[in-house]
C-alpha cells in the first residue's frame, strides 16, 4: 500500500485528487491462464479415461495421479503463507503470490473432484461416520479442501471490497489511511486544547465534551454556550477544528471497521487452513505410503 503526503488543498476540478491507491499485480492473468491450461489438460485426460475405462476408481491411474497433482497444488498454494510471513527472500511480489494462491486453490478443487470421480459430491453421499473416515479420511479431505477454498474465495472478495473502501475513504478524507488520520486527529485535539487555554468554563466544557465523545459530531449552533465577546473569534476557530475532528473521526471509524472485518476473516482462514492441511496431508501421505510406494499395507 502506498500513501503520499499531499496536502488536502491539492484538488482537481470535481473533487479531491486521489492520494492513495491499493496495489495491483499483472501476474494475476498469468496465473489464471496457467491454471486454466492445467485444468483443461487434465479434464481432457479425464474424459478420455471415462471412454476407455468402464468405472475408474481413485486408487487407479490416472485418477490416482490426479490426486497426487492436487496434493502438490495444495502444497504450492500453501507456499504463499511462507512467502508472506516467513521466507521474505523468495522472488516475486506478495501480490503475485496471492494470485497464485487464489487461482491454484480454485483449480485444486476441480482436479480433486476429478480424482474422486465426483463421488460423495454428486452421488454416494456420506450418511455414516465410517464414510467420512474410510480410506484414510478421503471424503473428509475432499470436503476440507472445498470448505477451505470456498472460505478463501469469499474472504478474497471481502478483502478486495474492503480494501477499496479503505482506499476510497483515504483518498477523500484529505489525510490518508488510518495511521495518518489518527495523527491528524491528535494534532486537532492539541489545537483545541491550546484554544481553550485561558477561556471561560463554558468554553472549555463545550470543547472538552465534543472531544471526549470520540464520535463524529458536528458542532450544533443550538448547543453553543454563553460566551464572553472576546472569546468569539477563538470559539469559531475551535468549532472549525472540531468540525474537522468529527469528519476525520467518521473516516477513522470506517477504516477501522473495514480492517476489523479483514482481520477476522484472516484469523478464520488461518484456522481452517491449518486444520484442512492436516487432514489433506494425512490422506495424501497415507495413500502414497500404502498404494504408491507400498511401505504399508493398504487399509
Amino acid at each position: 500500500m502506498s500513501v503520499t503526503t499531499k496536502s488536502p488543498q491539492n484538488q482537481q476540478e470535481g473533487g479531491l485528487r486521489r492520494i492513495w491507491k491499493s496495489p495491483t499485480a499483472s501476474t494475476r492473468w498469468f496465473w489464471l491462464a496457467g491454471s486454466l491450461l492445467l485444468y483443461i489438460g487434465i479434464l481432457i485426460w479425464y474424459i478420455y479415461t471415462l471412454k476407455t475405462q468402464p468405472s475408474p476408481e481413485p486408487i487407479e491411474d490416472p485418477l490416482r495421479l490426479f490426486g497426487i497433482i492436487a496434493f502438490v497444488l495444495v502444497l504450492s498454494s500453501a507456499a504463499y503463507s511462507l512467502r508472506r510471513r516467513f521466507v521474505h527472500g523468495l522472488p516475486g511480489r506478495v501480490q503475485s503470490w496471492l494470485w497464485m494462491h487464489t487461482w491454484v486453490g480454485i483449480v485444486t478443487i476441480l482436479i480433486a473432484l476429478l480424482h474422486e470421480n465426483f463421488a460423495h459430491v454428486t452421488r454416494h453421499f456420506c450418511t455414516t461416520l465410517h464414510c467420512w473416515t474410510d480410506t484414510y479420511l478421503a471424503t473428509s479431505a475432499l470436503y476440507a479442501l472445498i470448505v477451505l477454498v470456498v472460505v478463501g474465495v469469499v474472504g478474497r472478495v471481502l478483502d478486495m471490497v474492503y480494501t477499496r473502501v479503505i482506499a476510497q475513504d483515504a483518498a477523500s478524507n484529505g489525510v490518508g489511511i488510518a495511521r495518518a488520520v489518527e495523527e491528524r486527529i491528535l494534532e486537532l485535539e492539541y489545537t483545541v486544547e491550546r484554544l481553550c487555554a485561558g477561556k471561560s468554563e463554558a468554553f472549555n466544557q463545550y470543547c472538552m465534551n465534543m472531544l471526549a465523545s470520540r464520535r463524529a459530531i458536528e458542532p450544533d449552533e443550538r448547543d453553543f454556550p454563553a460566551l464572553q465577546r472576546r472569546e468569539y473569534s477563538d470559539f469559531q476557530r475551535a468549532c472549525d477544528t472540531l468540525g474537522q475532528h468529527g469528519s476525520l473521526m467518521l473516516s477513522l471509524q470506517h477504516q477501522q471497521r473495514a480492517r476489523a472485518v479483514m482481520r477476522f476473516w484472516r484469523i478464520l482462514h488461518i484456522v481452517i487452513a491449518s486444520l484442512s492441511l492436516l487432514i489433506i496431508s494425512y490422506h495424501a501421505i497415507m495413500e502414497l505410503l500404502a498404494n504408491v510406494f507400498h511401505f504399508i499395507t493398504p487399509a
Side-chain angles (χ1 to χ4, degrees):
M1 296 181 180
S2 60
V3 182
T4 61
T5 57
K6 302 292 185 182
S7 59
Q9 63 266 25
N10 292 334
Q11 300 180 0
Q12 292 180 345
E13 184 178 353
L16 286 169
R17 188 167 69 86
R18 184 184 181 93
I19 62 173
W20 191 96
K21 64 179 181 178
S22 56
T24 58
S26 59
T27 51
R28 61 184 182 274
W29 304 118
F30 168 79
W31 286 111
L32 174 60
S35 300
L36 284 176
L37 288 175
L38 175 62
Y39 178 68
I40 290 172
I42 292 178
L43 180 62
I44 294 173
W45 194 356
Y46 171 76
I47 294 173
Y48 173 79
T49 302
L50 293 182
K51 292 182 177 180
T52 56
Q53 297 183 24
S55 182
E57 295 293 333
I59 198 174
E60 301 172 350
D61 286 329
L63 268 60
R64 178 171 59 183
L65 180 60
F66 296 167
I68 296 174
I69 294 174
F71 181 56
V72 172
L73 292 178
V74 167
L75 297 180
S76 300
S77 183
Y80 163 70
S81 297
L82 295 177
R83 170 62 179 84
R84 181 178 180 182
R85 295 180 176 85
F86 304 107
V87 189
H88 300 290
L90 292 176
R93 297 171 56 189
V94 174
Q95 288 78 16
S96 300
W97 282 79
L98 176 58
W99 283 111
M100 179 276 292
H101 178 78
T102 301
W103 295 128
V104 169
I106 294 173
V107 168
T108 301
I109 281 186
L110 302 177
I111 296 176
L113 292 173
L114 299 182
H115 162 64
E116 288 288 332
N117 199 14
F118 296 93
H120 308 301
V121 176
T122 60
R123 64 186 190 281
H124 303 156
F125 300 104
C126 284
T127 58
T128 64
L129 178 62
H130 175 72
C131 175
W132 292 96
T133 59
D134 191 29
T135 319
Y136 307 115
L137 303 179
T139 305
S140 297
L142 175 62
Y143 277 91
L145 178 61
I146 293 174
V147 170
L148 172 61
V149 176
V150 169
V151 170
V153 170
V154 171
R156 183 73 179 115
V157 173
L158 289 176
D159 191 70
M160 294 173 65
V161 169
Y162 282 104
T163 297
R164 184 176 297 273
V165 168
I166 293 175
Q168 291 176 344
D169 191 88
S172 62
N173 63 19
V175 178
I177 56 176
R179 186 171 182 178
V181 173
E182 291 173 346
E183 293 175 354
R184 179 56 180 162
I185 287 175
L186 186 60
E187 292 175 2
L188 294 174
E189 291 175 352
Y190 287 155
T191 299
V192 173
E193 290 176 0
R194 286 195 296 269
L195 291 171
C196 288
K199 301 302 188 299
S200 64
E201 180 67 23
F203 188 115
N204 280 267
Q205 189 65 37
Y206 179 84
C207 293
M208 292 302 105
N209 287 342
M210 293 287 288
L211 290 178
S213 65
R214 304 298 296 177
R215 293 183 288 118
I217 300 177
E218 291 289 343
D220 190 341
E221 293 183 1
R222 294 170 299 179
D223 297 331
F224 282 175
L227 301 174
Q228 302 175 20
R229 184 176 298 275
R230 64 180 179 83
E231 296 177 332
Y232 287 171
S233 176
D234 284 346
F235 185 74
Q236 183 59 52
R237 291 176 58 193
C239 286
D240 293 341
T241 304
L242 289 170
Q244 297 178 40
H245 181 273
S247 177
L248 289 179
M249 284 298 299
L250 182 61
S251 172
L252 181 61
Q253 290 168 10
H254 288 166
Q255 294 192 36
Q256 288 178 335
R257 189 180 303 115
R259 292 173 62 185
V261 171
M262 292 190 293
R263 188 181 304 110
F264 173 79
W265 167 76
R266 288 192 179 100
I267 294 173
L268 178 65
H269 186 55
I270 290 173
V271 172
I272 293 177
S274 300
L275 295 175
S276 299
L277 189 59
L278 286 175
I279 296 173
I280 294 168
S281 297
Y282 172 79
H283 168 70
I285 292 173
M286 294 302 292
E287 285 285 352
L288 288 172
L289 293 176
N291 298 309
V292 177
F293 301 115
H294 305 292
F295 289 157
I296 62 176
T297 303

